């Protein structure tokens, strides 16, 4: 503290309180006045304006605004003995301390002001009306010099009012300061913020003596506005003009190189940086980190990072974020621990990044520990950190905690809403996702393409065409429907809701098509069993600019498998490896096993499984088991089942398939043995369910269910359909009933299968004008229901669409789209 400070005696406290009352009139708080207890009114009665100015300057140097206020109190008590020079110093102290109200009060009460007073006030955030302040300066007749213009230009930019900087450009030119490098650099920065690159360039050309600051400013202007190639040309001009690059120009050169994708040039810039010893500069270091992480070269990026100073949080945060974005979540966690060990305090960006890594890696435990740290360091109220926390809990399937955090947010951003909606949608909670979507709309949230994509994904998972159409209409109304992500979600939604024609029309109307668009359409055709159409779309895609990826081939192979296109499927599989260099994953092998097995080539399918370079999954063996059963190959079926149960001893589907195989062979003792084994191991068979949507409500049916309010009408419709189908030549396939009962009971049981109950309800309640009836089923459709649906589609003259666990079946005029291959 300054030398003449001393502790005031108790006897002087009454006099100090009188001083507190006087300071209230000047706009100071009582707490501020009371801080002057360390000052005596008689400690140095001979202090003049010059001495007070020197003391105030020391307060600024020591960043001690409280002492500056105390000095001011002492000055007021003695009758405001400061001259203009010292008053400007006091004003500067308030501005630099961020005491905006005190600075404005002092400025307004100054008996005289000069341009230094105005410039000082403009350097803080006290003035929110920069135009009015400048007009007042001009009206009072103060000198307009380069320092005044530069300060006001910076003030306009800092208050996000850069677009009015042209208002100062005219007097600058009139007074001849446009050739001044100091003023020119400020003008260039202002026009850069506005995006007026040509105007900034004309200002640059008009500067007579260009210094390195001016060159750095115009280079930054070009880079920040995307003129990367021009900025590199200017960089060459700067070198020819005799200027050596500094940390700012190196940073600009790196950004321009990355923007152009000129990574070899950027590495050359790195060489120049090493020669000039700028690699330790934080700004340049972050630019180099950006370069190597953009290249995906995390090892070189880490080497650059290790050579940088470790006392700044920015490079730590940058590396943690990039590790997470590139999938190196463990490395990001290790780096975060290192950062804490060297006592670097994380900021909101650091915490958001490491939480993002926890979300990607689904690290629930670490996420909870970080949650504690967030609360401890006081970032729990930061919306970005809170959103990252919600995402962690959502991706770790702890939606209750995620929703609780969401509810506690005082200010929810659209990202907050999207995180919860996406969380529900990813967990298959489509109904809850749509409920949150409706809540967001009720709260007038400006929903984005992410919101619409998630809502459409929820509609697709529920196969709710009616809701999907409503979301589509809202997307059109808000001009989001043309966005690529939303269009892709629309293709997927319509395809999964059974209308591949509308999905195709959405695709045809897209202005920009990416690989996800092609994949969604190909997958849609494959799911509908239209393998040849999927191959046709694939051929068109190969002729376009989009290169197929692993998901593309997965869709094509699935289509070939569903349609029984054995030759085309094998050619596609070989082309994926040889022509496109894509390594097959377990899903690709599963499609090939299903394709070969259903085509009767069980030996070839088994050889393919044995040749897989890694451990086959349950899905691969399940595909082999299903194919073996279709071909009545008990040996392969037993082996497949054994392999599945080694991996998952409680795999329900395996027990069911084996039971069905023995039941089909009328080996009831084996059926009983399997059921006993299931009971002992606590394995329960998933009940068959079918559901149909009507007027926004979903109606569920199970085999033989009788609790629906329209059951009498449904039974009446079933009797009528049975009679009409029998007359049309329908013969029940009793092998589809895998129970030991007589033929009459089997016939009765067939007609109360869940999909037939759903169909009967649709025929009863849906008007005949509604030509298409969509039914969803959680299991595979049986052979008898498949035959019955073909006959019924001719009787009722409607299109019947059934989506079972594997694919769509379109029944029209007695024919199914699968050509009886499913």
């Amino acid at each position: 503290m300054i030398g003449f400070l001393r502790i005031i005696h108790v006897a002087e406290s009454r006099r100090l309180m009188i001083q507190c009352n006087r300071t209230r009139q000047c706009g100071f708080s009582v707490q501020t006045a009371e801080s002057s207890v360390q000052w005596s009114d008689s400690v140095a009665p001979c202090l003049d304006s010059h001495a007070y100015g020197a003391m105030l300057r020391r307060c600024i140097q020591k960043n001690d605004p409280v002492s500056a206020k105390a000095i001011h109190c002492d000055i007021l008590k003695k009758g405001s003995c400061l001259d203009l020079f010292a008053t400007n110093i006091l004003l500067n102290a308030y501005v630099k301390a961020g005491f905006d109200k005190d600075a404005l009060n002092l400025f307004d009460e100054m008996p005289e002001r000069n341009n230094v007073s105005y410039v000082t006030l403009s350097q803080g955030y006290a003035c929110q009306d920069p135009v009015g302040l400048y007009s007042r300066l001009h009206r009072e007749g103060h000198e307009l010099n380069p320092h005044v213009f530069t300060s006001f230009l910076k003030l306009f930019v800092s208050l996000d009012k850069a677009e009015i900087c042209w208002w100062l450009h005219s007097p600058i030119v009139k007074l001849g300061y446009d050739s001044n490098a100091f003023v020119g650099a400020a003008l260039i920065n202002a026009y850069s913020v506005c995006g007026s690159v040509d105007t900034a360039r004309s200002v640059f050309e008009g500067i007579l003596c260009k210094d390195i600051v001016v060159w750095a400013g115009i280079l930054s202007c070009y880079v920040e506005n995307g003129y990367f190639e021009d900025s590199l040309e200017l960089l060459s001009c700067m070198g020819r003009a005799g200027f050596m690059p500094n940390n700012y120009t190196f940073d600009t050169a790196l950004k321009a190189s990355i923007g152009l994708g000129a990574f070899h040039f950027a590495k050359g810039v790195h060489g120049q940086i090493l020669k000039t010893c700028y690699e330790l500069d934080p700004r340049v270091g972050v630019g180099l980190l950006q370069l190597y992480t953009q290249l995906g070269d995390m090892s070189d990026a880490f080497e650059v990072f290790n050579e940088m100073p470790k006392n700044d949080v920015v490079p730590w945060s940058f590396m943690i974020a990039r590790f997470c974005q590139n999938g190196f979540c463990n490395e990001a966690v290790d780096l975060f621990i290192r950062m804490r060990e060297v006592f670097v305090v994380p900021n909101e960006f650091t915490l958001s990044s490491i939480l993002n890594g926890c979300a990607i890696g689904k690290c629930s435990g670490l996420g909870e520990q970080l949650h504690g740290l967030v609360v401890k360091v006081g970032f729990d109220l930061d919306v970005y950190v809170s959103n990252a926390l919600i995402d962690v809990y959502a991706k770790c399937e702890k939606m209750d905690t995620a929703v609780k955090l969401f509810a506690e947010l005082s200010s929810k951003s659209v990202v907050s809403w999207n995180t919860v909606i996406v969380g529900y949608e990813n967990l298959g909670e489509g109904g809850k996702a749509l409920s949150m979507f409706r809540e967001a709309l009720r709260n007038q949230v400006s929903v984005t393409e992410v919101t619409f994509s998630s809502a459409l994904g929820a509609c697709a998972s529920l196969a709710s065409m009616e809701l999907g159409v409503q979301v589509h209409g809202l997307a059109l109304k808000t001009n989001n429907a043309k966005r690529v992500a939303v269009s892709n979600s629309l293709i997927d939604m319509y395809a999964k809701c059974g209308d591949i024609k509308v999905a195709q029309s959405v695709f045809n109307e897209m202005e920009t098509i990416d690989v996800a668009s092609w994949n969604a359409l190909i997958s849609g055709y494959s799911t509908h069993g239209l393998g040849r159409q999927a191959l046709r779309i694939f051929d068109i895609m190969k002729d376009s600019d989009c290169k197929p990826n692993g998901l593309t081939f997965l869709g094509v192979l699935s289509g070939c498998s569903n349609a029984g296109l054995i030759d085309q499927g094998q050619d596609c599989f070989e082309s994926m490896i040889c022509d496109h260099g894509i390594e097959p994953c377990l899903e690709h092998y599963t499609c090939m096993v299903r394709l070969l097995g259903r085509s009767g080539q069980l030996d070839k399918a088994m050889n393919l499984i044995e040749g897989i370079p890694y451990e086959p999954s349950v899905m691969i063996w399940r595909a082999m088991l299903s194919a073996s059963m279709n071909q009545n190959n008990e040996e392969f079926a037993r082996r497949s089942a054994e392999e599945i149960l080694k991996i998952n001893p409680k795999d329900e589907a395996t027990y069911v398939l084996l039971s069905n195989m023995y039941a089909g062979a009328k080996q009831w003792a084996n059926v009983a043995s399997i059921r006993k084994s299931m009971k002992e191991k606590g394995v329960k068979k998933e009940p068959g369910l079918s559901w149909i949507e009507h007027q926004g409500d979903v109606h569920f049916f199970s085999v033989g269910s009788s609790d629906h309010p329209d059951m009498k009408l449904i039974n009446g419709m079933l009797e009528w359909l049975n009679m009409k189908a029998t007359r049309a030549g329908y013969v029940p396939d009793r092998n589809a009933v895998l129970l030991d009962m007589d033929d009459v009971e089997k016939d009765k049981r067939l007609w109360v299968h869940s999909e037939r109950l759903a169909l009967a309800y649709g025929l009863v309640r849906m008007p005949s004008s509604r030509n298409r009836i969509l039914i969803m089923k959680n299991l595979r459709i049986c052979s008898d229901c498949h035959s019955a649906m073909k006959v019924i589609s001719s009787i009722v003259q409607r299109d019947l669409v059934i989506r079972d666990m594997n694919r769509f079946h379109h029944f029209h005029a007695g024919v199914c789209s699968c050509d009886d291959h499913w």
Side-chain angles (χ1 to χ4, degrees):
M1 190 63 73
I2 301 175
F4 62 82
L5 287 177
R6 70 177 178 83
I7 304 298
I8 234 169
H9 294 296
V10 176
E12 298 172 331
S13 61
R14 181 175 298 178
R15 200 178 319 119
L16 179 63
M17 292 311 298
I18 295 172
Q19 179 177 320
C20 290
N21 291 330
R22 289 186 62 193
T23 56
R24 282 196 186 96
Q25 299 173 0
C26 298
F28 299 110
S29 65
V30 174
Q31 290 85 351
T32 301
E34 288 174 345
S35 70
S36 65
V37 294
Q38 302 176 50
W39 295 88
S40 170
D41 61 328
S42 59
V43 65
C46 60
L47 286 176
D48 58 6
S49 178
H50 180 74
Y52 276 123
M55 288 187 290
L56 288 168
R57 191 178 288 111
R58 290 190 65 184
C59 290
I60 295 173
Q61 292 170 352
K62 292 187 175 184
N63 192 24
D64 187 7
V66 175
S67 294
K69 276 199 171 189
I71 294 172
H72 191 189
C73 290
D74 197 63
I75 292 167
L76 289 173
K77 181 182 174 185
K78 294 177 180 177
S80 297
C81 60
L82 295 185
D83 61 11
L84 179 58
F85 179 78
T87 305
N88 283 338
I89 296 175
L90 177 60
L91 180 64
N92 189 30
Y94 283 141
V95 168
K96 288 188 174 176
F99 296 160
D100 298 339
K101 185 177 178 181
D102 295 334
L104 280 171
N105 286 338
L106 176 62
F107 181 81
D108 289 335
E109 292 173 2
M110 289 172 67
E112 61 174 324
R113 288 175 289 271
N114 60 8
N115 56 8
V116 175
S117 312
Y118 282 92
V119 168
T120 302
L121 188 66
S122 72
Q123 291 173 346
Y125 293 94
C127 178
Q128 296 298 315
D129 181 19
V131 175
L133 187 67
Y134 175 82
S135 299
R136 186 175 172 183
L137 178 150
H138 192 268
R139 194 165 54 246
E140 292 181 5
H142 299 297
E143 179 189 3
L144 298 175
N145 58 26
H147 196 55
V148 170
F149 285 122
T150 304
S151 298
F152 274 91
L153 287 169
K154 290 179 179 179
L155 178 61
F156 289 164
V157 172
S158 68
L159 294 175
D160 293 327
K161 296 181 179 179
E163 66 278 359
I164 60 174
C165 286
W166 61 268
W167 186 65
L168 287 182
H169 199 166
S170 296
I172 288 171
V173 173
K174 185 177 180 180
L175 294 173
Y177 292 129
D178 54 320
S179 61
N180 182 281
F182 194 49
V183 178
L187 272 173
I188 290 170
N189 180 54
Y191 283 121
S192 174
V193 173
C194 296
S196 303
V197 178
D198 292 338
T199 308
R201 180 61 183 265
S202 66
V203 171
F204 172 78
E205 297 295 346
I207 298 172
L208 295 179
C209 298
K210 300 178 180 65
D211 58 14
I212 189 64
V213 176
V214 173
W215 280 101
I218 192 65
L219 286 169
S220 177
C221 173
Y222 272 96
V223 169
E224 296 300 329
N225 288 280
Y227 293 80
F228 303 121
E229 192 168 349
D230 293 331
S231 68
L232 292 178
E233 290 179 6
L234 267 175
L235 188 65
S236 300
C237 293
M238 187 187 84
R240 290 195 294 272
F243 289 95
M244 292 295 293
N246 61 9
N247 54 342
Y248 291 96
T249 52
F250 275 131
D251 178 49
T252 302
L254 288 170
K255 288 180 179 177
S257 305
I258 294 168
L260 284 171
F263 298 114
H264 289 296
F265 182 84
K267 289 184 176 181
V269 174
H270 189 183
Q272 290 293 323
I273 290 168
L274 292 172
K275 287 180 181 179
T276 52
C277 301
Y278 274 109
E279 70 275 10
L280 298 181
D281 181 85
R283 179 184 293 270
V284 176
V286 172
L288 289 170
L289 294 180
Q290 176 71 33
L291 165 65
Y292 289 107
T293 54
Q294 191 90 1
L295 285 168
D297 192 343
M298 295 304 295
S299 59
D300 280 355
F302 200 63
E303 187 174 338
V304 170
F305 172 78
N306 284 332
E307 294 173 357
M308 293 176 65
K310 300 295 186 296
N311 56 346
D312 189 357
V313 70
V314 174
W316 289 97
S317 300
F318 185 91
M319 283 301 292
I320 289 169
R322 289 297 184 269
F323 270 130
C324 292
Q325 290 164 5
N326 285 279
F328 299 101
C329 298
N330 292 333
E331 288 80 356
V333 171
D334 292 340
L335 201 60
F336 182 79
I337 294 170
R338 274 183 58 192
M339 186 187 82
R340 299 292 289 152
E341 288 173 347
V342 296
F343 303 106
V344 175
V345 179
N347 59 18
E348 61 272 28
F349 183 72
T350 323
L351 293 169
S352 299
S353 299
I354 191 64
L355 286 168
N356 180 49
C358 291
I360 293 171
K362 298 184 178 181
C363 304
S364 174
L366 179 59
E368 290 175 350
Q369 293 180 47
L370 288 169
H371 190 177
L373 177 64
V374 165
V375 174
K376 183 178 179 180
V377 297
F379 280 114
D380 51 318
L381 298 179
D382 183 89
V383 67
Y384 300 104
V385 177
S386 296
N387 289 341
L389 274 171
I390 293 169
D391 192 40
V392 170
Y393 286 113
K395 286 194 168 75
C396 293
E397 302 184 10
K398 294 185 177 182
M399 282 305 298
D400 291 342
T401 307
V403 172
K404 182 182 178 183
L405 284 174
F406 173 80
E408 291 172 354
L409 277 178
S410 56
S411 59
K412 300 176 179 68
S413 68
V414 66
V415 177
S416 313
W417 289 93
N418 288 346
T419 304
V420 176
I421 294 170
V422 171
Y424 274 129
E425 195 251 324
N426 287 340
L427 291 176
E429 298 280 358
K432 291 181 180 179
L434 289 172
S435 178
M436 288 298 297
F437 178 70
R438 293 190 194 96
E439 190 69 22
L441 295 177
R442 278 194 292 269
N443 282 273
Q444 298 182 335
V445 177
S446 299
V447 288
T448 63
E449 57 185 302
V450 176
T451 328
F452 279 109
S453 296
S454 300
L456 289 167
C459 294
S461 67
L462 295 171
S464 179
M465 174 78 86
E466 293 180 14
L467 289 175
V469 170
Q470 291 179 40
V471 176
H472 188 181
L474 185 61
L476 288 168
K477 186 177 179 180
T478 55
N479 295 320
N480 279 287
K482 290 187 177 180
R483 297 184 181 275
V484 176
V486 178
S487 295
N488 293 344
S489 297
L490 283 168
I491 295 170
D492 184 60
M493 185 273 292
Y494 282 115
K496 287 180 178 176
C497 288
D499 203 330
I500 191 65
K501 290 182 180 178
V502 177
Q504 178 72 68
S505 67
V506 171
F507 178 86
N508 293 340
E509 292 172 4
M510 290 179 67
E511 296 176 359
T512 304
I513 298 173
D514 62 7
V515 66
S517 314
W518 291 101
N519 290 351
L521 189 62
I522 290 171
S523 177
Y525 274 112
S526 298
T527 307
H528 282 262
L530 305 172
R532 296 189 185 279
Q533 288 89 328
L535 285 168
R536 178 179 59 82
I537 299 296
F538 178 57
D539 289 337
I540 297 172
M541 177 188 180
K542 288 189 291 185
D543 293 334
S544 70
D545 294 333
C546 285
K547 292 183 178 180
N549 58 18
L551 289 175
T552 316
F553 283 98
L554 185 61
V556 176
L557 290 172
S558 177
C560 293
S561 174
N562 287 335
L565 304 175
I566 180 69
D567 293 334
Q568 294 90 328
Q570 287 181 310
D571 291 343
C572 178
F573 187 74
E574 292 174 4
S575 173
M576 176 180 71
I577 301 170
C578 301
D579 299 335
H580 297 273
I582 298 174
E583 188 69 25
C585 64
L586 288 170
E587 287 79 5
H588 295 112
Y589 283 112
T590 301
C591 286
M592 286 303 298
V593 169
R594 186 179 295 116
L595 174 63
L596 294 169
R598 286 181 180 178
S599 301
Q601 302 182 34
L602 292 177
D603 291 328
K604 201 169 183 179
M606 187 60 77
N607 290 336
L608 180 65
I609 293 174
E610 291 172 349
I612 295 175
Y614 29 81
E615 197 67 29
S617 65
V618 167
M619 293 303 298
I620 289 177
W621 285 113
R622 198 179 289 165
M624 188 65 193
L625 174 59
S626 178
S628 302
M629 288 179 57
N630 287 338
Q631 301 297 322
N632 296 317
N633 191 315
E634 189 171 330
E635 178 187 350
F636 280 162
R638 283 179 181 276
R639 181 185 170 186
S640 301
E642 288 171 0
E643 295 291 344
I644 295 171
L645 296 177
K646 283 180 185 177
I647 302 171
N648 182 9
K650 292 187 177 182
D651 187 74
E652 169 209 330
T654 301
Y655 289 107
V656 172
L657 287 171
L658 280 176
S659 177
N660 291 348
M661 181 180 72
Y662 290 131
K666 301 188 186 306
Q667 298 178 19
W668 304 114
N670 288 336
V671 172
S673 175
I674 287 176
R675 288 181 179 173
K676 181 181 178 182
S677 179
M678 290 176 68
K679 187 175 181 180
E680 290 173 350
K681 294 180 181 179
V683 179
K684 294 183 179 180
K685 178 183 176 182
E686 181 183 6
L689 288 176
S690 295
W691 59 95
I692 185 169
E693 182 184 17
H694 178 52
Q695 295 182 346
D697 294 324
V698 179
H699 300 263
F700 289 88
F701 298 91
S702 59
V703 177
S705 59
S706 58
D707 56 349
H708 195 278
D710 290 331
M711 207 62 224
K712 288 184 179 179
L713 293 174
I714 291 171
N715 286 331
M717 176 58 74
L718 286 173
E719 289 182 14
W720 182 81
L721 289 173
N722 190 358
M723 178 186 67
K724 287 286 188 181
T726 302
R727 290 179 181 175
Y730 159 74
V731 177
D733 181 6
R734 298 185 180 101
N735 291 326
V737 180
L738 302 173
L739 297 172
D740 188 11
M741 56 177 60
D742 60 38
D743 290 347
V744 175
E745 288 298 319
K746 286 184 177 182
D747 292 349
K748 288 181 180 179
R749 189 168 183 84
L750 288 171
W751 276 96
V752 291
H753 276 193
S754 60
E755 54 265 60
R756 298 196 207 190
L757 294 171
L759 173 62
Y761 171 81
L763 292 171
V764 166
R765 288 299 179 192
M766 295 179 182
S768 57
S769 58
R770 182 167 172 174
N771 183 55
R772 195 177 70 99
I773 296 176
L774 173 64
I775 298 168
M776 307 298 292
K777 184 175 173 63
N778 66 331
L779 301 178
R780 185 170 174 267
I781 187 172
C782 74
S783 57
D784 185 72
C785 284
H786 193 268
S787 299
M789 291 295 173
K790 289 196 294 183
V791 177
I792 293 171
S793 67
S794 293
I795 295 170
V796 299
Q797 295 184 349
R798 293 203 201 186
D799 290 341
L800 309 180
V801 182
I802 295 183
R803 169 69 157 94
D804 68 8
M805 65 180 295
N806 292 327
R807 53 173 294 167
F808 279 94
H809 295 268
H810 293 257
F811 300 95
H812 173 75
V815 178
C816 180
S817 59
C818 71
D819 290 331
D820 296 335
H821 182 92
W822 86 96

